[in-house]
Amino acid sequence: MNINYLASLIAVIVLFLLVYVGVEAAGLRYFFGVLLPYLAVIIFIIGFVKKIVGWAKTPVPFRIPTTCGQQETLSWIKPAKIDNPTTGSGVFVRMLLEILCFRSLFRNTKMELREGDKLSYEWEKWLWLFALAFHYSFLTVLLRHLRFFLEPVPGCVKFLESIDGFLQIGLPGIMISGIILLAALLFLLLRRILIPQIKYISLASDYFPLFLIIGIAITGILMRYFTRVDIAGIKELTIGLVTFHPTVPDGGIGGLFYVHLFFVSVLIAYFPFSKLMHLGGIFMSPTRNLTTDTRATRHINPWNYDVKVHTYEEYEEEFREKMIGAGLPVEKES
Amino acid sequence: MSEPRPDELIRKMEHKPHQKGWMDTPVNIRKGMYCYASNPKSVEYLGLPNARAWNPLDVDWKLPPDWQEIIHKGFRERLDKFRSFKIFMDVCVRCGACADKCHFFIGTGDPKNMPVLRAELLRSVYRNDFTIAGKILGKIAGAREMTIDVLKEWWYYLFQCTECRRCSVFCPYGIDTAEITIMGRELLNLLGLNIDWIATPVANCYRTGNHLGIQPHAYKDMLDFFVEDIEEVTGVKVEPSFNRKGADILFITPSGDVFADPGTYTAMGYLILFHYLKDMGLDITWSTYASEGGNFGFFTSHETMKRLNKKMYAEAKRLGVKWILGGECGHMWRVINQYMDTMNGPADFLEAPVSPITGTKFENARSTKMVHIAEFMADLIKHKKLKLDPSRNDHLKVTYHDSCNPARGMGILEEPRYVINNVCNHFYEMPSNTIREQTFCCGSGAGLNAGENIELRMAGGFPRANAVKHVHQKYGVNMLACICAVDRAALPPLMDYWVPEVGVTGLTELVANALIVPGEAERTTDLRGEELQGKEEAEDA
């Protein structure tokens, strides 16, 4: 057993008990259903904005993109316009591919020592594949949830649902995104637990969001497919939240819903203080989002300052005689 | 102390981490893996803090009493000055994609050489000192206090990184361990914790203009030796000029190539090329004041880098040249390409570079006004300005090592290949995962090319050597070409260790071998004095 994932798992279980007992025994429905979600959103917005502003206000003194292809140089050599972008549009495409397709992760290889002393590098696509699966299914689930916050439900959300539920198995219809989300989460969790190197580098803060989102996914799936929940009551609550007329419907909504909502609240409140901020950071990474025409266009460092230099005069002063002796030109003859 | 044999080193490469967590595994500073501490005289000459004699193996590192405060403040200052540093401290998700991309992790198996953990060494302190979660939750949030053991761990592992940026190619957020190592080394330097293989070259460079401390008259002498050697091989007398005012172009290259084989042959290559082009309109001068292309200040701090780099523009201005031509060097070109103009520009006293021979305007260098010799030569060859006999390199089966910084901090990938293909008949690429932007470091960059850390260097260079071995066995490759002076110093012992019978050469040496210089005698040997293929039999017949 590893203290890092154990601690995270226990934390999520404690959170579960907290809300379940809080709602079922103490009846704190308004607290968990209204106050905490509002608080979480406030924390999220302030925390997120503060973090982004903090990064944005920090200068970029040097232009240090990682060049991953041929530079733009002589006219007859084909430059890598995306991997070594000299123009804004090149950077835009590079960032787009990075953000939407996880391009750098796509390059991932797995190193192995074979036959005793031969290094080999094999394309390792699973991390990339499951990372993509996780992010896109999570996004889909998130967008589907707009149905709970908008009345009438917009056509695009209905359309998304119809694609998501194209399998049409059973009743209610299976939403493929939820299944993929849970599967991807389990993959990401298991690789942290089973691959020794990944386990070694993993912190509690790597397991915690995984367990938390797994909790969110499981409670969501339970509500949708396995238990009866009062959808109308839930929608009354969620619409109340977004229209700033919060109400807590009497009864009907089970404890499971409050667990779901509480986990989501914890996740978004936790977000700005955690590694999840890679959501914002990826847009601002100086090794990716800058042009590489560093010799063609001068980059300005706002805090550039003068430094002490060993001048030519000082140099000649020290070596003048030797220079003259060797026939090297000097500024002053003696 | 004897270094381990190759098979012993391979057996050590277990990539299985310890059972105990990394925070609970104290650093073990091991002989063969670290470089000697900086000489106090060198530190003092530059006016850097805490100059004193110290030994990494001693318990007491003779730190200033308020060292923790210094680190904390220095950390804060750098977080406020560098967005890169701040973001890289915040956004890592520890996905582990970088882990087996690092040549030091592959070669040593030490888990703290995974780029992610190297960065975590700093991040753990960052969380403790600067984040709410770290302050409240402590170790469970991955935070730890800055103690003397942590400091020693920083020192040990930040000098086991060559700032090659290979990990940053694979990172989904572009986190660049070089950037983290640069910041970490800056912080260490605030306490006087440099290694001597960096500190002394920096002091030398500051004083004499080059890392090796070659004084002006001696620098000229060394080039004069090459003039004699060239005359012996080619029958042609070349005439370099030094510190000459009014020349069109200033040439700057790493001093390592003036000093030691096989870099010296590259330096001879420059001399021959410049002589060849002289009648075609090349007016170029060397400088003894700016006699260093490399910049070990880059491995010390941004400020030190700037102090050394400033000489290039200063000398160009003093001599009144139009632009600067730069020789083959790795980190030198990262500094020129990504830092020089910003730090010490604008170079408005220079002109946008134009080749005097072909008339090509180097648009990509129009602001910095410095052109890479491989760009310059590729342009010459394309315009058929060089008369070449590639068969003079027929005794060589060549492969090309992309040096880290020109590859990942610049992207000069095709120019050297174009040149090689025009001056050699036998060129073979190493496997695609080990070249271009995925190239592996020589294992000795960023100031780690010392003698005392030879085990580290051989382990770190293993992935590169392994790829060379592959083409050596498959195609009989016997020459490894590169465009980096540290490579030319570091790769020969690496080849001797892992792939004996493979030599190391600079690009310009290959060009000079093939270049048919007007008035030359028939060549029977290459610049190294090795018999050319076919010549031997011809003589016998």
Side-chain angles (χ1 to χ4, degrees):
Chain A
M1 269 292 165
N2 174 308
I3 178 75
N4 285 328
Y5 68 76
L6 205 59
S8 303
L9 184 60
I10 290 170
V12 174
I13 291 171
V14 168
L15 289 174
F16 168 79
L17 292 174
L18 211 66
V19 55
Y20 203 77
V21 172
V23 170
E24 293 290 322
L28 298 170
R29 287 187 165 76
Y30 195 78
F31 178 72
F32 284 105
V34 176
L35 291 182
L36 270 185
Y38 274 140
L39 186 66
V41 170
I42 291 168
I43 294 174
F44 174 79
I45 293 172
I46 294 175
F48 195 92
V49 169
K50 250 186 108 175
K51 196 97 216 173
I52 297 287
V53 169
W55 288 338
K57 276 167 93 176
T58 310
V60 180
F62 301 106
R63 227 181 319 156
I64 54 160
T66 310
T67 57
C68 298
Q70 172 62 38
Q71 64 169 352
E72 188 177 300
T73 163
L74 302 163
S75 59
W76 46 274
I77 294 178
K78 195 169 171 265
K81 288 190 171 153
I82 296 167
D83 286 322
N84 196 336
T86 51
T87 61
S89 52
V91 170
F92 182 78
V93 176
R94 187 183 204 190
M95 293 304 292
L96 213 63
L97 287 172
E98 204 62 87
I99 291 161
L100 299 182
C101 308
F102 303 178
R103 181 142 199 248
S104 293
L105 200 56
F106 185 69
R107 292 192 182 100
N108 196 20
T109 55
K110 188 175 180 304
M111 176 274 304
E112 239 178 308
L113 251 179
R114 286 185 190 160
E115 299 165 43
D117 67 344
K118 282 200 175 75
L119 282 174
S120 71
Y121 313 92
E122 207 171 89
W123 186 39
E124 206 287 315
K125 56 225 163 273
W126 299 111
L127 177 59
W128 171 78
L129 196 66
F130 278 95
L132 261 190
F134 164 70
H135 284 88
Y136 276 103
S137 58
F138 204 6
L139 180 67
T140 308
V141 170
L142 210 67
L143 292 176
R144 273 205 284 108
H145 276 66
L146 286 177
R147 126 174 324 272
F148 294 102
F149 300 98
L150 300 168
E151 188 58 49
V153 177
C156 53
V157 174
K158 284 183 179 162
F159 178 67
L160 185 69
E161 278 175 351
S162 67
I163 298 177
D164 201 359
F166 78 100
L167 282 180
Q168 296 197 338
I169 305 169
L171 200 81
I174 297 254
M175 291 292 177
I176 195 88
S177 58
I179 312 293
I180 295 176
L181 175 63
L182 196 58
L185 280 164
L186 287 176
F187 172 86
L188 294 174
L189 178 66
L190 284 177
R191 75 183 278 280
R192 280 206 189 275
I193 295 172
L194 298 179
I195 302 174
Q197 285 166 23
I198 309 298
K199 184 172 168 186
Y200 194 72
I201 62 173
S202 295
L203 299 171
S205 55
D206 296 316
Y207 295 108
F208 178 68
L210 279 173
F211 283 125
L212 197 60
I213 302 171
I214 288 173
I216 292 169
I218 289 177
T219 49
I221 287 170
L222 282 176
M223 276 191 287
R224 181 171 171 90
Y225 305 108
F226 297 101
T227 65
R228 294 182 62 84
V229 283
D230 174 8
I231 297 280
I234 289 173
K235 184 143 184 181
E236 196 185 329
L237 189 148
T238 50
I239 289 281
L241 284 174
V242 288
T243 53
F244 296 106
H245 293 98
T247 51
V248 176
D250 308 323
I253 312 176
L256 204 54
F257 167 75
Y258 286 98
V259 175
H260 189 70
L261 183 62
F262 180 57
F263 278 4
V264 172
S265 303
V266 171
L267 183 71
I268 60 176
Y270 172 75
F271 200 105
F273 309 98
S274 70
K275 68 169 193 176
L276 304 179
M277 277 308 289
H278 66 266
L279 169 73
I282 189 169
F283 288 89
M284 299 172 79
S285 181
T287 57
R288 293 287 186 274
N289 74 357
L290 295 167
T291 54
T292 60
D293 58 337
T294 35
R295 268 189 294 155
T297 316
R298 182 167 183 248
H299 178 83
I300 304 293
N301 173 2
W303 51 259
N304 199 16
Y305 58 93
D306 272 334
V307 293
K308 197 173 171 326
V309 185
H310 192 67
T311 63
Y312 176 80
E313 288 69 32
E314 290 170 291
Y315 169 85
E316 189 181 300
E317 202 61 39
E318 183 175 356
F319 298 114
R320 182 170 295 118
E321 277 172 32
K322 288 171 176 169
M323 290 172 79
I324 293 171
L328 291 166
V330 287
E331 297 273 345
K332 281 202 288 187
E333 284 301 330
S334 62
Chain B
M1 183 190 65
S2 66
E3 62 196 79
R5 291 193 318 266
D7 57 312
E8 291 171 329
L9 210 53
I10 288 182
R11 248 178 286 129
K12 275 191 182 178
M13 291 175 202
E14 273 203 16
H15 296 95
K16 298 211 168 54
H18 319 282
Q19 281 301 308
K20 249 200 204 165
W22 63 266
M23 280 196 203
D24 302 316
T25 310
V27 63
N28 169 27
I29 297 180
R30 198 158 63 75
K31 280 204 167 186
M33 303 297 279
Y34 75 92
C35 297
Y36 296 147
S38 43
N39 184 332
K41 279 186 198 155
S42 301
V43 179
E44 202 165 4
Y45 189 80
L46 286 152
L48 297 176
N50 203 22
R52 82 272 174 235
W54 65 288
N55 184 342
L57 295 181
D58 287 348
V59 176
D60 180 13
W61 279 14
K62 302 182 191 168
L63 302 172
D66 59 340
W67 71 267
Q68 275 154 312
E69 174 88 13
I70 294 172
I71 291 282
H72 179 83
K73 278 190 179 159
F75 214 129
R76 170 88 270 163
E77 192 192 333
R78 279 153 189 82
L79 288 169
D80 292 340
K81 276 174 135 178
F82 295 88
R83 186 185 295 170
S84 53
F85 193 36
K86 207 174 209 172
I87 288 184
F88 296 164
M89 285 294 107
D90 279 326
V91 303
C92 177
V93 300
R94 287 161 295 280
C95 72
C98 59
D100 57 2
K101 308 306 178 287
C102 174
H103 52 287
F104 281 121
F105 176 62
I106 295 173
T108 65
D110 185 337
K112 283 178 190 165
N113 272 327
M114 291 189 239
V116 48
L117 267 197
R118 202 186 311 281
E120 286 293 315
L121 300 181
L122 270 77
R123 262 187 216 118
S124 53
V125 174
Y126 165 75
R127 289 188 201 104
N128 183 73
D129 286 16
F130 305 106
T131 70
I132 300 168
K135 278 177 185 157
I136 300 171
L137 295 168
K139 201 174 161 184
I140 205 78
R144 61 176 180 169
E145 257 182 74
M146 188 72 196
T147 63
I148 186 71
D149 290 330
V150 172
L151 185 74
K152 289 183 176 183
E153 197 177 41
W154 277 20
W155 184 82
Y156 190 61
Y157 288 105
L158 292 176
F159 289 103
Q160 290 193 24
C161 167
T162 46
E163 304 179 3
C164 82
R165 308 183 101 198
R166 191 169 191 266
C167 49
S168 89
V169 169
F170 295 90
C171 176
Y173 316 117
I175 296 173
D176 180 9
T177 306
E179 194 71 358
I180 287 160
T181 297
I182 288 167
M183 298 302 163
R185 288 188 183 183
E186 275 202 29
L187 293 173
L188 291 170
N189 267 284
L190 296 177
L191 306 177
L193 297 175
N194 207 345
I195 59 172
D196 199 47
W197 224 81
I198 295 173
T200 293
V202 167
N204 283 340
C205 192
Y206 194 66
R207 177 170 170 241
T208 65
N210 58 73
H211 289 149
L212 296 158
I214 308 165
Q215 298 186 7
H217 57 295
Y219 191 84
K220 182 173 178 290
D221 276 353
M222 288 168 127
L223 263 77
D224 283 343
F225 279 130
F226 297 157
V227 171
E228 287 168 28
D229 287 349
I230 290 168
E231 195 171 3
E232 233 165 76
V233 176
T234 66
V236 172
K237 190 164 167 65
V238 304
E239 289 169 335
S241 68
F242 300 89
N243 304 356
R244 182 163 55 85
K245 284 192 177 179
D248 285 344
I249 300 167
L250 168 64
F251 179 64
I252 302 178
T253 199
S255 64
D257 285 342
V258 179
F259 179 72
D261 293 348
T264 47
Y265 306 114
T266 299
M268 286 158 72
Y270 298 140
L271 291 169
I272 294 171
L273 179 73
F274 298 159
H275 173 83
Y276 180 95
L277 298 173
K278 198 173 176 181
D279 288 342
M280 301 164 80
L282 185 78
D283 181 19
I284 197 163
T285 182
W286 298 63
S287 163
T288 59
Y289 170 65
S291 49
E292 181 59 68
N295 190 330
F296 276 28
F298 187 39
F299 312 138
T300 305
S301 67
H302 285 89
E303 183 174 305
T304 314
M305 161 170 56
K306 182 175 172 177
R307 289 171 75 184
L308 297 186
N309 175 264
K310 193 136 188 163
K311 290 184 188 190
M312 289 195 184
Y313 279 152
E315 184 68 340
K317 194 171 185 178
R318 186 182 76 86
L319 297 177
V321 300
K322 291 178 182 159
W323 54 277
I324 311 171
L325 182 65
E328 301 176 22
C329 181
H331 71 275
M332 157 183 171
W333 272 99
R334 170 124 201 258
V335 172
I336 291 165
N337 194 51
Q338 298 194 327
Y339 294 92
M340 177 157 87
D341 204 358
T342 300
M343 286 186 306
N344 290 319
D348 42 19
F349 47 89
L350 298 175
E351 293 172 16
V354 176
S355 169
I357 291 107
T358 64
T360 298
K361 196 169 179 191
F362 294 95
E363 281 291 346
N364 63 322
R366 63 178 177 268
S367 177
T368 301
K369 280 122 178 165
M370 190 150 175
V371 174
H372 193 289
I373 187 89
E375 295 168 338
F376 185 67
M377 291 194 298
D379 175 62
L380 288 169
I381 294 172
K382 182 76 183 175
H383 285 88
K384 304 200 182 331
K385 298 291 180 189
L386 301 184
K387 222 176 143 193
L388 298 163
D389 177 6
S391 73
R392 289 190 197 163
N393 282 318
D394 275 355
H395 56 308
L396 305 177
K397 289 196 161 91
V398 181
T399 191
Y400 178 67
H401 159 67
D402 288 276
S403 308
C404 317
N405 282 296
R408 289 182 284 259
M410 189 176 182
I412 185 162
L413 310 174
E414 292 303 337
E415 295 88 338
R417 286 177 169 79
Y418 179 78
V419 172
I420 291 174
N421 275 314
N422 275 283
V423 299
C424 300
N425 287 320
H426 309 290
F427 174 60
Y428 304 92
E429 289 275 18
M430 285 181 273
S432 62
N433 283 314
T434 68
I435 54 169
R436 297 178 183 261
E437 76 277 6
Q438 296 197 27
T439 188
F440 274 110
C441 181
C442 62
S444 306
L448 305 185
N449 195 18
E452 61 270 20
N453 63 337
I454 191 74
E455 182 182 336
L456 175 75
R457 289 175 48 202
M458 295 302 111
F462 174 63
R464 168 41 72 225
N466 207 254
V468 176
K469 192 171 177 179
H470 176 76
V471 284
H472 172 65
Q473 289 174 341
K474 199 167 171 187
Y475 306 111
V477 161
N478 59 8
M479 189 54 85
L480 177 59
C482 60
I483 52 167
C484 171
V486 169
D487 280 336
R488 284 188 286 277
L491 290 173
L494 187 77
M495 291 300 111
D496 286 347
Y497 188 81
W498 292 110
V499 207
E501 294 168 30
V502 175
V504 177
T505 178
L507 189 64
T508 314
E509 179 187 344
L510 294 174
V511 172
N513 272 340
L515 195 63
I516 302 169
V517 185
E520 70 178 10
E522 195 194 351
R523 292 201 209 176
T524 52
T525 69
D526 63 11
L527 290 177
R528 303 184 180 199
E530 279 166 30
E531 300 268 349
L532 295 182
Q533 215 165 44
K535 299 291 174 194
E536 223 173 332
E537 298 104 76
E539 274 168 29
D540 289 346

